[in-house]
């Protein structure tokens, strides 16, 4: 069973909103419960869905089951690269990652709108 294009667009929108909310929380630097919950969602969902959401031919179960491990792997790789380059700052690294994911999701949404 595949995810329909309409549902995929809605999930892209939700993931984009989570990424943007995490970016705003980190920019404002006001820790609260919302920042913690959005942070968990952003690290576990956003990077993986950003990469997997664009593949329409993947089965729904495969997309959902690979999103979390792929997200954690991407966060780990970006963090390790920042450590290796002596640019490590958890806040700024996550801000850059969420900004990139938001931009990619927005371009994907614009491309889908222009194709329709």
């Amino acid at each position: 069973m595949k995810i329909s294009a309409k549902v995929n667009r809605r999930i892209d929108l939700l993931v984009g909103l989570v990424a943007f909310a995490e970016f705003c929380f980190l920019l404002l630097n006001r820790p609260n419960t919302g920042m913690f919950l959005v942070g968990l969602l952003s690290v576990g969902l956003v990077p993986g869905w950003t990469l997997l959401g664009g593949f329409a031919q993947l089965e729904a179960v495969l997309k959902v089951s690979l999103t979390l491990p792929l997200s954690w792997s991407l966060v780990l790789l970006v963090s390790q690269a920042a450590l290796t380059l002596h640019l490590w700052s958890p806040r700024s690294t996550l801000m850059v990652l969420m900004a990139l994911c938001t931009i990619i999701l927005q371009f994907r949404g614009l491309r889908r709108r222009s194709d329709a």
Side-chain angles (χ1 to χ4, degrees):
M1 182 173 116
K2 296 191 184 343
I3 297 176
S4 69
K6 185 176 183 180
V7 172
N8 210 359
R9 280 194 305 270
R10 288 183 180 169
I11 294 173
D12 279 352
L13 177 64
L14 176 69
V15 170
L17 288 175
V18 168
F20 184 71
E22 177 68 12
F23 181 80
C24 290
F25 275 132
L26 290 169
L27 192 63
L28 294 174
N29 195 18
R30 296 196 177 199
N32 57 25
T33 306
M35 183 179 184
F36 176 73
L37 295 174
V38 170
L40 285 176
L41 275 174
S42 68
V43 170
L45 176 70
V46 173
W49 186 263
T50 301
L51 288 181
L52 290 175
F55 294 107
Q57 66 273 18
L58 289 179
E59 295 289 327
V61 174
L62 187 63
K63 273 188 182 182
V64 171
S65 63
L66 286 178
T67 298
L68 182 69
L70 185 60
S71 291
W72 286 351
S73 298
L74 287 171
V75 170
L76 177 73
L77 287 173
V78 168
S79 300
Q80 187 60 47
L83 276 169
T84 302
L85 296 171
H86 303 288
L87 299 171
W88 173 245
S89 168
R91 182 176 302 275
S92 62
T93 303
L94 197 55
M95 283 177 68
V96 168
L97 186 63
M98 291 300 118
L100 285 173
C101 289
T102 303
I103 291 167
I104 291 168
L105 289 167
Q106 289 299 319
F107 278 126
R108 185 186 306 152
L110 289 173
R111 189 183 67 210
R112 283 188 182 147
R113 279 188 216 117
S114 67
D115 291 344

Short mmCIF file of all heavy atoms in Angstrom, two decimals, residues 82-115:
data_model
loop_
_atom_site.label_atom_id
_atom_site.label_comp_id
_atom_site.label_asym_id
_atom_site.label_seq_id
_atom_site.Cartn_x
_atom_site.Cartn_y
_atom_site.Cartn_z
N ALA A 82 30.29 18.13 12.41
CA ALA A 82 30.53 19.39 13.12
C ALA A 82 31.63 19.22 14.17
O ALA A 82 32.47 20.11 14.34
CB ALA A 82 29.24 19.87 13.76
N LEU A 83 31.64 18.09 14.86
CA LEU A 83 32.70 17.84 15.84
C LEU A 83 34.07 17.74 15.17
O LEU A 83 35.06 18.28 15.66
CB LEU A 83 32.42 16.53 16.59
CG LEU A 83 31.48 16.61 17.77
CD1 LEU A 83 31.07 15.22 18.23
CD2 LEU A 83 32.11 17.37 18.91
N THR A 84 34.11 17.05 14.04
CA THR A 84 35.37 16.86 13.33
C THR A 84 35.92 18.19 12.82
O THR A 84 37.13 18.43 12.84
CB THR A 84 35.17 15.89 12.15
OG1 THR A 84 34.67 14.66 12.66
CG2 THR A 84 36.46 15.64 11.41
N LEU A 85 35.04 19.06 12.39
CA LEU A 85 35.46 20.37 11.86
C LEU A 85 35.62 21.42 12.96
O LEU A 85 35.83 22.60 12.66
CB LEU A 85 34.44 20.85 10.83
CG LEU A 85 34.32 19.99 9.57
CD1 LEU A 85 33.14 20.45 8.73
CD2 LEU A 85 35.61 20.01 8.78
N HIS A 86 35.47 21.01 14.22
CA HIS A 86 35.58 21.91 15.38
C HIS A 86 34.55 23.04 15.31
O HIS A 86 34.84 24.18 15.65
CB HIS A 86 36.99 22.47 15.51
CG HIS A 86 38.04 21.42 15.62
ND1 HIS A 86 38.21 20.65 16.76
CD2 HIS A 86 38.96 20.97 14.74
CE1 HIS A 86 39.18 19.79 16.57
NE2 HIS A 86 39.66 19.96 15.34
N LEU A 87 33.36 22.70 14.84
CA LEU A 87 32.26 23.67 14.76
C LEU A 87 31.09 23.24 15.62
O LEU A 87 29.96 23.64 15.38
CB LEU A 87 31.80 23.81 13.30
CG LEU A 87 32.83 24.30 12.30
CD1 LEU A 87 32.30 24.18 10.89
CD2 LEU A 87 33.23 25.73 12.62
N TRP A 88 31.33 22.41 16.62
CA TRP A 88 30.24 21.80 17.36
C TRP A 88 29.57 22.78 18.30
O TRP A 88 30.17 23.38 19.18
CB TRP A 88 30.73 20.61 18.16
CG TRP A 88 29.71 20.04 19.06
CD1 TRP A 88 29.74 20.01 20.42
CD2 TRP A 88 28.49 19.41 18.68
NE1 TRP A 88 28.63 19.41 20.90
CE2 TRP A 88 27.84 19.02 19.85
CE3 TRP A 88 27.88 19.14 17.46
CZ2 TRP A 88 26.62 18.38 19.85
CZ3 TRP A 88 26.67 18.50 17.46
CH2 TRP A 88 26.05 18.12 18.63
N SER A 89 28.31 22.96 18.11
CA SER A 89 27.41 23.66 19.00
C SER A 89 26.05 23.01 18.81
O SER A 89 25.48 23.07 17.70
CB SER A 89 27.33 25.14 18.66
OG SER A 89 26.27 25.74 19.34
N PRO A 90 25.52 22.34 19.83
CA PRO A 90 24.26 21.61 19.64
C PRO A 90 23.14 22.49 19.09
O PRO A 90 22.41 22.09 18.19
CB PRO A 90 23.92 21.09 21.04
CG PRO A 90 25.20 21.08 21.77
CD PRO A 90 26.03 22.18 21.19
N ARG A 91 23.03 23.68 19.61
CA ARG A 91 21.95 24.57 19.19
C ARG A 91 22.11 24.99 17.73
O ARG A 91 21.19 24.88 16.93
CB ARG A 91 21.92 25.80 20.09
CG ARG A 91 20.81 26.78 19.78
CD ARG A 91 20.79 27.90 20.78
NE ARG A 91 20.61 27.43 22.14
CZ ARG A 91 19.43 27.17 22.69
NH1 ARG A 91 18.35 27.35 22.01
NH2 ARG A 91 19.35 26.75 23.93
N SER A 92 23.29 25.45 17.36
CA SER A 92 23.47 25.91 15.98
C SER A 92 23.44 24.76 14.98
O SER A 92 22.95 24.92 13.87
CB SER A 92 24.77 26.70 15.86
OG SER A 92 25.86 25.88 16.17
N THR A 93 23.98 23.59 15.36
CA THR A 93 23.93 22.44 14.46
C THR A 93 22.50 22.03 14.18
O THR A 93 22.12 21.78 13.02
CB THR A 93 24.71 21.25 15.06
OG1 THR A 93 26.05 21.66 15.32
CG2 THR A 93 24.72 20.06 14.13
N LEU A 94 21.67 21.99 15.21
CA LEU A 94 20.26 21.63 15.01
C LEU A 94 19.51 22.72 14.25
O LEU A 94 18.65 22.41 13.42
CB LEU A 94 19.60 21.37 16.37
CG LEU A 94 18.28 20.63 16.34
CD1 LEU A 94 18.40 19.30 15.61
CD2 LEU A 94 17.78 20.39 17.75
N MET A 95 19.88 23.98 14.47
CA MET A 95 19.24 25.06 13.72
C MET A 95 19.54 24.95 12.22
O MET A 95 18.65 25.11 11.39
CB MET A 95 19.69 26.43 14.24
CG MET A 95 19.04 26.84 15.54
SD MET A 95 19.66 28.41 16.16
CE MET A 95 19.04 29.55 14.95
N VAL A 96 20.79 24.67 11.89
CA VAL A 96 21.17 24.53 10.48
C VAL A 96 20.45 23.34 9.85
O VAL A 96 19.91 23.42 8.74
CB VAL A 96 22.70 24.39 10.34
CG1 VAL A 96 23.10 23.95 8.95
CG2 VAL A 96 23.37 25.70 10.71
N LEU A 97 20.40 22.21 10.58
CA LEU A 97 19.73 21.02 10.06
C LEU A 97 18.23 21.27 9.84
O LEU A 97 17.68 20.90 8.79
CB LEU A 97 19.94 19.85 11.02
CG LEU A 97 19.42 18.50 10.57
CD1 LEU A 97 20.15 18.04 9.32
CD2 LEU A 97 19.59 17.48 11.68
N MET A 98 17.57 21.94 10.78
CA MET A 98 16.13 22.21 10.64
C MET A 98 15.88 23.22 9.52
O MET A 98 14.89 23.12 8.78
CB MET A 98 15.53 22.73 11.95
CG MET A 98 15.49 21.69 13.04
SD MET A 98 14.50 20.26 12.60
CE MET A 98 15.72 18.98 12.64
N ALA A 99 16.76 24.20 9.37
CA ALA A 99 16.60 25.16 8.28
C ALA A 99 16.74 24.48 6.92
O ALA A 99 15.94 24.72 6.01
CB ALA A 99 17.63 26.28 8.41
N LEU A 100 17.72 23.60 6.79
CA LEU A 100 17.90 22.86 5.53
C LEU A 100 16.69 21.98 5.24
O LEU A 100 16.22 21.92 4.10
CB LEU A 100 19.16 22.01 5.59
CG LEU A 100 20.47 22.75 5.46
CD1 LEU A 100 21.64 21.81 5.70
CD2 LEU A 100 20.59 23.39 4.11
N CYS A 101 16.19 21.29 6.26
CA CYS A 101 15.02 20.42 6.06
C CYS A 101 13.79 21.24 5.66
O CYS A 101 13.03 20.83 4.78
CB CYS A 101 14.73 19.61 7.32
SG CYS A 101 15.95 18.32 7.64
N THR A 102 13.61 22.40 6.29
CA THR A 102 12.47 23.24 5.95
C THR A 102 12.56 23.72 4.51
O THR A 102 11.57 23.71 3.77
CB THR A 102 12.40 24.46 6.90
OG1 THR A 102 12.33 23.99 8.25
CG2 THR A 102 11.20 25.32 6.61
N ILE A 103 13.75 24.13 4.08
CA ILE A 103 13.93 24.59 2.70
C ILE A 103 13.66 23.47 1.70
O ILE A 103 12.97 23.66 0.70
CB ILE A 103 15.34 25.17 2.52
CG1 ILE A 103 15.47 26.48 3.31
CG2 ILE A 103 15.68 25.39 1.06
CD1 ILE A 103 16.90 26.97 3.46
N ILE A 104 14.18 22.28 1.98
CA ILE A 104 13.95 21.14 1.08
C ILE A 104 12.47 20.81 0.99
O ILE A 104 11.94 20.57 -0.10
CB ILE A 104 14.77 19.92 1.55
CG1 ILE A 104 16.26 20.18 1.33
CG2 ILE A 104 14.34 18.66 0.81
CD1 ILE A 104 17.16 19.17 2.01
N LEU A 105 11.78 20.80 2.13
CA LEU A 105 10.34 20.50 2.12
C LEU A 105 9.55 21.56 1.37
O LEU A 105 8.58 21.25 0.67
CB LEU A 105 9.82 20.33 3.54
CG LEU A 105 10.28 19.06 4.26
CD1 LEU A 105 9.98 19.15 5.74
CD2 LEU A 105 9.61 17.84 3.66
N GLN A 106 9.95 22.83 1.50
CA GLN A 106 9.26 23.89 0.79
C GLN A 106 9.46 23.77 -0.73
O GLN A 106 8.51 23.93 -1.49
CB GLN A 106 9.73 25.27 1.26
CG GLN A 106 9.27 25.61 2.64
CD GLN A 106 7.76 25.66 2.74
OE1 GLN A 106 7.08 26.15 1.85
NE2 GLN A 106 7.23 25.12 3.82
N PHE A 107 10.68 23.46 -1.15
CA PHE A 107 10.92 23.27 -2.58
C PHE A 107 10.15 22.08 -3.12
O PHE A 107 9.64 22.12 -4.24
CB PHE A 107 12.41 23.13 -2.88
CG PHE A 107 13.13 24.43 -2.97
CD1 PHE A 107 14.25 24.68 -2.21
CD2 PHE A 107 12.68 25.43 -3.82
CE1 PHE A 107 14.92 25.88 -2.28
CE2 PHE A 107 13.33 26.64 -3.91
CZ PHE A 107 14.46 26.87 -3.13
N ARG A 108 10.07 21.02 -2.33
CA ARG A 108 9.30 19.85 -2.77
C ARG A 108 7.82 20.21 -2.92
O ARG A 108 7.17 19.82 -3.87
CB ARG A 108 9.45 18.71 -1.76
CG ARG A 108 8.77 17.45 -2.26
CD ARG A 108 8.77 16.33 -1.26
NE ARG A 108 10.09 16.04 -0.77
CZ ARG A 108 10.33 15.53 0.43
NH1 ARG A 108 9.34 15.26 1.25
NH2 ARG A 108 11.56 15.28 0.83
N GLY A 109 7.30 21.00 -1.98
CA GLY A 109 5.90 21.44 -2.08
C GLY A 109 5.66 22.32 -3.29
O GLY A 109 4.65 22.19 -3.97
N LEU A 110 6.60 23.23 -3.57
CA LEU A 110 6.45 24.09 -4.75
C LEU A 110 6.51 23.28 -6.03
O LEU A 110 5.77 23.53 -6.97
CB LEU A 110 7.55 25.15 -4.74
CG LEU A 110 7.44 26.24 -3.68
CD1 LEU A 110 8.68 27.11 -3.70
CD2 LEU A 110 6.19 27.08 -3.89
N ARG A 111 7.40 22.30 -6.08
CA ARG A 111 7.51 21.47 -7.27
C ARG A 111 6.24 20.66 -7.49
O ARG A 111 5.77 20.52 -8.63
CB ARG A 111 8.72 20.53 -7.14
CG ARG A 111 9.03 19.79 -8.43
CD ARG A 111 10.17 18.84 -8.27
NE ARG A 111 9.73 17.77 -7.39
CZ ARG A 111 10.54 17.09 -6.57
NH1 ARG A 111 11.80 17.38 -6.51
NH2 ARG A 111 10.06 16.12 -5.82
N ARG A 112 5.66 20.15 -6.42
CA ARG A 112 4.42 19.37 -6.55
C ARG A 112 3.27 20.25 -7.02
O ARG A 112 2.43 19.83 -7.79
CB ARG A 112 4.06 18.69 -5.24
CG ARG A 112 4.90 17.49 -4.96
CD ARG A 112 4.40 16.75 -3.77
NE ARG A 112 5.25 15.62 -3.49
CZ ARG A 112 5.51 15.16 -2.30
NH1 ARG A 112 4.97 15.73 -1.24
NH2 ARG A 112 6.30 14.14 -2.12
N ARG A 113 3.23 21.49 -6.53
CA ARG A 113 2.16 22.39 -6.95
C ARG A 113 2.29 22.75 -8.43
O ARG A 113 1.32 22.89 -9.13
CB ARG A 113 2.17 23.65 -6.09
CG ARG A 113 1.50 23.44 -4.78
CD ARG A 113 1.34 24.74 -4.01
NE ARG A 113 1.54 24.43 -2.60
CZ ARG A 113 2.50 24.90 -1.83
NH1 ARG A 113 3.35 25.75 -2.32
NH2 ARG A 113 2.60 24.54 -0.60
N SER A 114 3.53 22.92 -8.88
CA SER A 114 3.73 23.28 -10.28
C SER A 114 3.47 22.09 -11.20
O SER A 114 3.09 22.27 -12.35
CB SER A 114 5.14 23.82 -10.49
OG SER A 114 6.10 22.80 -10.30
N ASP A 115 3.68 20.86 -10.70
CA ASP A 115 3.41 19.66 -11.50
C ASP A 115 1.92 19.38 -11.63
O ASP A 115 1.49 18.78 -12.60
CB ASP A 115 4.10 18.43 -10.91
CG ASP A 115 5.60 18.49 -11.05
OD1 ASP A 115 6.08 19.32 -11.86
OD2 ASP A 115 6.30 17.74 -10.35
#
